[in-house]
Amino acid sequence: MTVLLWILAALAVPTLLFVLWLTGVFLKEFFSPTPDDGTQAAQAAEKLGLLPPERQNTDLAAPLPAEWAAVLDAVRGGDWRPAAELLAAIGRDWERRSAVAYVLAERAAEEDAWLLAWEAARPGAPDAAVVRARSTVILAWELRGGKKAQYTTREQFDGFHRMLAAAREEIAKAAELNPDDPTPYIAEIWVALGLGCPNAEMDKLWGEITARAPHHYEAHFSALQYWCAKWRGSERLASEFAQRAAADAPPGSLLTALPLIAHFEHDESEDTAADNTPVMRARVEAALTDAAAADPAHPRLPELRHLLAFYLHLQDRDEAALEQFRLVDGYVNALPWRYRGDMAGYYCQVRDTVAQTVAERA
């Protein structure tokens, strides 16, 4: 019996020591937990002054210019005059004109008393007409909703098609009042896309746009959506359109974004091999050069920077990706984040991974 007790005691001592060690580890972890990978990545981003998900703006890809923001404040208060003055001052800068018209149209789609007052005070004003046309298109798409066709009701489709028909009348009016302006025709792309207009009709519409603004970014982005397989084209048609546009565009036009977008829209691979081909690396290099040549105030430049941050990361060029993230942080309504339900969460997940990788390499 004594021998047995000695044996049990000998076995008990290591067991007791193990239990004490395990208890110490538990208490240390409880009072000072080791961060998991996600937390460590978020801490790396925080050290760089980058913002957490709850502080990301999910409505915009970048902050609005101060003058544009002031005009929006004015129209919220019912005063249309600053909007009229801004569009008049922009004149024939078609890129900025279409961007401002869209921002105003979004507001008019929510509440248009100020636009009605503008139309009443200045009947036939082309600037008010183009805002009205864009607003009607926005309303149509809001009626449809953002879900796939099989999840969209007949009532939604009926309202969508009725509003698109009304938009066509508004677009024709805006085009007649300002024949040189490509903006009404850009709005028409989204009507053609929604109504399923044949490719030949789109080709004709595209001719109207390029005759007025051959390298207009918003026009090209919109047309590329039409040519994507999910709408009225195919992967081949979208890729060919994007490559032609990028090849013919002058530096600083940002149209080098189009091949990246066409790739993104049709990439169903589960790994990054398709993003690391020589062709894709050349596309990213071209887009970096394009961004460097662009007007820093180009209203669409932040959208290209978001894409660059994403693809530079996928190509293991995290220092360069972090540079782009720094330039856009705080605003996330852009590709590739836009297609995710948790836009800010997805953006921060990728950005934080980049920040952690750069910190570990330092």
Side-chain angles (χ1 to χ4, degrees):
M1 185 69 178
T2 303
V3 174
L4 179 61
L5 289 174
W6 275 107
I7 292 173
L8 291 173
L11 293 172
V13 169
T15 303
L16 179 61
L17 291 173
F18 175 75
V19 170
L20 290 173
W21 173 81
L22 191 62
T23 302
V25 170
F26 171 79
L27 291 173
K28 180 180 179 181
E29 186 68 20
F30 181 81
F31 289 106
S32 181
T34 301
D36 59 20
D37 290 342
T39 301
Q40 290 176 333
Q43 289 173 347
E46 183 181 3
K47 287 179 181 178
L48 295 172
L50 302 174
L51 301 176
E54 62 272 16
R55 294 184 60 190
Q56 300 293 332
N57 183 307
T58 57
D59 295 324
L60 301 168
L64 291 175
E67 187 178 13
W68 298 16
V71 166
L72 274 184
D73 287 340
V75 300
R76 288 190 186 99
D79 187 359
W80 55 268
R81 290 174 182 80
E85 292 168 3
L86 176 58
L87 282 171
I90 287 173
R92 297 174 63 87
D93 184 338
W94 303 131
E95 199 77 63
R96 283 180 174 79
R97 178 177 174 80
S98 69
V100 169
Y102 189 85
V103 168
L104 291 170
E106 282 190 310
R107 177 57 192 160
E110 297 172 5
E111 195 283 312
D112 70 343
W114 60 273
L115 182 53
L116 289 168
W118 185 0
E119 292 166 328
R122 297 182 182 175
D127 294 344
V130 78
V131 173
R132 175 63 70 189
R134 301 215 74 171
S135 176
T136 309
V137 175
I138 290 170
L139 280 170
W141 283 92
E142 288 180 352
L143 286 172
R144 184 199 182 279
K147 295 181 179 179
K148 293 182 178 180
Q150 61 263 40
Y151 305 115
T152 304
T153 67
R154 174 48 53 195
E155 290 76 13
Q156 285 176 297
F157 272 122
D158 288 344
F160 176 54
H161 292 144
R162 283 196 302 271
M163 191 63 73
L164 286 180
R168 281 200 144 159
E169 296 179 10
E170 300 290 354
I171 288 167
K173 177 182 176 182
E176 183 181 356
L177 289 169
N178 191 352
D180 292 340
D181 185 9
T183 310
Y185 298 96
I186 296 170
E188 180 75 22
I189 293 175
W190 292 94
V191 176
L193 191 155
L195 294 178
C197 294
N199 292 174
E201 188 171 333
M202 179 62 189
D203 288 336
K204 182 179 179 182
L205 173 60
W206 191 241
E208 296 286 357
I209 292 171
T210 54
R212 292 164 173 80
H215 306 296
H216 194 290
Y217 181 87
E218 187 192 350
H220 281 81
F221 176 86
S222 301
L224 178 57
Q225 292 299 309
Y226 173 93
W227 291 114
C228 282
K230 65 182 178 181
W231 289 113
R232 310 303 172 189
S234 66
E235 181 175 359
R236 179 183 63 82
L237 290 172
S239 180
E240 289 176 354
F241 173 83
Q243 290 176 47
R244 284 196 305 271
D248 294 340
S253 66
L254 309 186
L255 295 188
T256 53
L258 297 181
L260 295 177
I261 296 171
H263 173 80
F264 176 79
E265 292 284 4
H266 299 93
D267 181 18
E268 297 181 353
S269 60
E270 297 296 328
D271 56 37
T272 61
D275 308 305
N276 278 278
T277 64
V279 168
M280 281 298 292
R281 286 185 168 271
R283 287 172 177 171
V284 169
E285 282 302 319
L288 283 167
T289 302
D290 205 7
D295 177 356
H298 193 300
R300 306 292 175 174
L301 178 57
E303 296 176 28
L304 178 55
R305 294 200 184 283
H306 280 281
L307 274 172
L308 280 169
F310 180 67
Y311 280 111
L312 285 165
H313 165 60
L314 294 182
Q315 294 177 357
D316 293 323
R317 301 170 64 184
D318 289 294
E319 288 78 5
L322 183 59
E323 182 181 349
Q324 300 298 324
F325 274 120
R326 287 178 181 274
L327 292 168
V328 297
D329 196 57
Y331 297 82
V332 298
N333 189 5
L335 291 178
W337 334 113
R338 184 184 293 154
Y339 288 175
R340 295 296 185 100
D342 183 8
M343 217 185 301
Y346 179 45
Y347 165 86
C348 287
Q349 175 189 339
V350 177
R351 182 208 63 189
D352 294 355
T353 300
V354 168
Q356 183 181 18
T357 301
V358 172
E360 290 173 350
R361 290 175 179 170

